[in-house]
Amino acid sequence: NAGVTQTPKFQVLKTGQSMTLQCAQDMNHEYMSWYRQDPGMGLRLIHYSVGAGITDQGEVPNGYNVSRSTTEDFPLRLLSAAPSQTSVYFCASSSRYTIYFGEGSWLTVV
Amino acid sequence: GENVEQHPSTLSVQEGDSAVIKCTYSDSASNYFPWYKQELGKRPQLIIDIRSNVGEKKDQRIAVTLNKTAKHFSLHITETQPEDSAVYFCAATLNTNAGKSTFGDGTTLTVKP
């Protein structure tokens, strides 16, 4: 049972580059979300989706795009990476009362 | 939107002592309050949760209390062990889905042997 799988685990980007963080879940959850975690701070919601074809902004959406073409997949796109986007990113799939996090993606923008 | 404040930011205790972490929330409509433990380099994992119709919940050495009137909830760990050392996050959620939770900034708990 894979749960939530996100890739890559580590990535170094140059300022201005674009990339996509992949996320997939096999629990048939309608709800998926992306969080970022910075030192000394909690998890902040970037974008979320309540089902295929439906996405919405969270607390810190600027600089990120998402799409949800299937129930299983919820990729996060950085269009033009900035040093402020250096962070750990967690994809999550959730039922009403439980969040299942992926293992995290460590992103460094230089 | 919801705002969650968590205190203290760091907590150091001796093995066997108790540890208490407190959180306050701003939106009285929030009705689900989970706690997560995150070990270094790992993903956060749910350790206990409480819903707004319950005042206290216990699971072995871990307990959570909720005061809806004062809008605060607390995590209590008794008989702490070195493996309890981690970052603990509280969260508050409206009656929609746990995936839209608002998190506190975390408490780094260190248990000294």
Side-chain angles (χ1 to χ4, degrees):
Chain A
N1 186 2
V4 180
T5 304
Q6 61 178 105
T7 57
K9 192 169 180 70
F10 299 100
Q11 184 71 51
V12 178
L13 282 178
K14 294 183 179 179
T15 297
Q17 285 185 320
S18 62
M19 77 158 298
T20 300
L21 298 176
Q22 302 290 344
C23 178
Q25 55 100 358
D26 62 1
M27 294 172 283
N28 203 33
H29 288 152
E30 291 296 324
Y31 208 105
M32 295 186 73
S33 45
W34 276 100
Y35 289 87
R36 63 176 286 174
Q37 184 177 28
D38 300 299
M41 302 182 73
L43 294 113
R44 293 183 292 170
L45 183 64
I46 304 172
H47 286 284
Y48 65 96
S49 169
V50 300
I54 306 170
T55 64
D56 206 347
Q57 297 180 349
E59 181 185 355
V60 288
N62 292 341
Y64 308 96
N65 276 0
V66 292
S67 60
R68 185 92 179 273
S69 57
T70 66
T71 299
E72 294 77 22
D73 300 301
F74 191 43
L76 178 73
R77 297 183 186 84
L78 283 72
L79 301 178
S80 179
S84 61
Q85 293 178 303
T86 294
S87 188
V88 182
Y89 293 85
F90 287 97
C91 178
S93 167
S94 54
S95 62
R96 183 171 179 182
Y97 291 116
T98 305
I99 299 178
Y100 301 86
F101 288 100
E103 293 187 326
S105 296
W106 275 255
L107 176 65
T108 301
V109 183
V110 297
Chain B
E2 176 65 276
N3 182 50
V4 176
E5 294 189 356
Q6 182 173 345
H7 299 280
S9 56
T10 60
L11 180 59
S12 181
V13 299
Q14 288 294 134
E15 182 176 0
D17 287 349
S18 295
V20 180
I21 303 170
K22 299 180 179 180
C23 289
T24 60
Y25 61 99
S26 61
D27 192 336
S28 57
S30 290
N31 61 357
Y32 173 64
F33 307 93
W35 286 88
Y36 294 85
K37 176 183 180 182
Q38 186 180 31
E39 297 176 347
L40 189 63
K42 304 290 187 181
R43 75 187 91 185
Q45 294 196 311
L46 179 70
I47 56 171
I48 195 168
D49 57 10
I50 191 166
R51 301 178 193 180
S52 60
N53 59 346
V54 176
E56 183 175 359
K57 183 177 179 180
K58 190 173 182 179
D59 182 4
Q60 299 183 342
R61 297 185 297 107
I62 295 174
V64 57
T65 59
L66 171 65
N67 183 327
K68 284 194 66 179
T69 302
K71 290 189 283 187
H72 67 71
F73 55 111
S74 299
L75 177 71
H76 304 254
I77 306 174
T78 59
E79 301 173 14
T80 54
Q81 302 168 1
E83 51 265 38
D84 294 329
S85 295
V87 180
Y88 292 82
F89 293 97
C90 63
T93 311
L94 294 171
N95 190 29
T96 51
N97 188 287
K100 204 179 174 185
S101 295
T102 300
F103 286 79
D105 286 345
T107 296
T108 301
L109 174 64
T110 302
V111 180
K112 299 177 181 178

